[in-house]
Amino acid sequence: MRVYVPLTLPGLAEAHKTGELGSGPLAAYAVTPALREWYVSDDIEELEYAALSRAALASLRLLAADPGAPRRRVVVAVDVPDRAAAADPDRGLDPAALGEVRVTGAVPLAKAAAVHVDAGEAEADVAAAAAAVTAADGGDDDAQFVVDGAEDHELLWFARQEIPTLVGSGD
């Protein structure tokens, strides 16, 4: 199963240093039955993009909690065994939990298929969105408009081998 793990650049640097995204349970996003039902599509690429977008929003929430992190959303796409990722059945069609899964066990960074990161020119919009995401989650329409501004920026695709450059370690 392809899962999308939300991070920040410092989180990616830590994963690069340790060689793993985490030892589990790890919050991630995937094409779940609830996401399929909500999105009403059979196109797997569209569904995976929806899961990636949910992870990007979760990355924004991580940025809101870490004011020192560079204002760029980070999502790592990684393939895990199907049995390693499960949606919470109690959350069902809760809009806040669509596509959300918990990944058990260690997730080696070497298993990453790709890393998705905002371009530098997105930083101002992402910073504003990180400041507004809590209010948007609470139903503030103006704040949601600001969050949507960050979502207008497409995340760039990077190969796993480019992580050292992304985190500035240069190895």
Side-chain angles (χ1 to χ4, degrees):
M1 171 184 285
R2 168 84 31 109
V3 299
Y4 299 90
V5 180
L7 291 175
T8 61
L9 281 173
L12 183 62
E14 181 65 20
H16 176 63
K17 186 172 97 178
T18 64
E20 68 180 28
L21 292 171
S23 57
L26 190 63
Y29 292 80
V31 177
T32 62
L35 185 71
R36 282 181 188 275
E37 187 174 325
W38 171 75
Y39 202 76
V40 193
S41 175
D42 289 329
D43 184 328
I44 191 64
E45 287 183 13
E46 286 181 19
L47 292 165
E48 286 187 352
Y49 185 78
L52 171 67
S53 297
R54 304 289 295 173
L57 181 58
S59 175
L60 193 61
R61 290 185 182 104
L62 294 173
L63 289 172
D66 184 0
R71 307 284 91 177
R72 295 169 76 187
R73 298 167 297 165
V74 176
V75 176
V76 178
V78 62
D79 294 318
V80 300
D82 288 349
R83 67 186 178 286
D88 182 347
D90 294 334
R91 295 197 63 189
L93 291 176
D94 175 359
L98 288 172
E100 187 177 285
V101 295
R102 292 277 173 224
V103 179
T104 58
V107 179
L109 188 57
K111 296 285 186 183
V115 179
H116 304 272
V117 181
D118 276 308
E121 62 262 11
E123 286 187 11
D125 288 339
V126 171
V133 72
T134 302
D137 287 345
D140 183 317
D141 290 337
D142 292 334
Q144 185 61 53
F145 181 78
V146 174
V147 169
D148 291 344
E151 292 176 2
D152 288 343
H153 294 277
E154 292 290 328
L155 296 175
L156 302 177
W157 182 96
F158 296 91
R160 180 181 67 244
Q161 297 82 350
E162 295 177 277
I163 292 173
T165 302
L166 287 170
V167 299
S169 72
D171 337 357

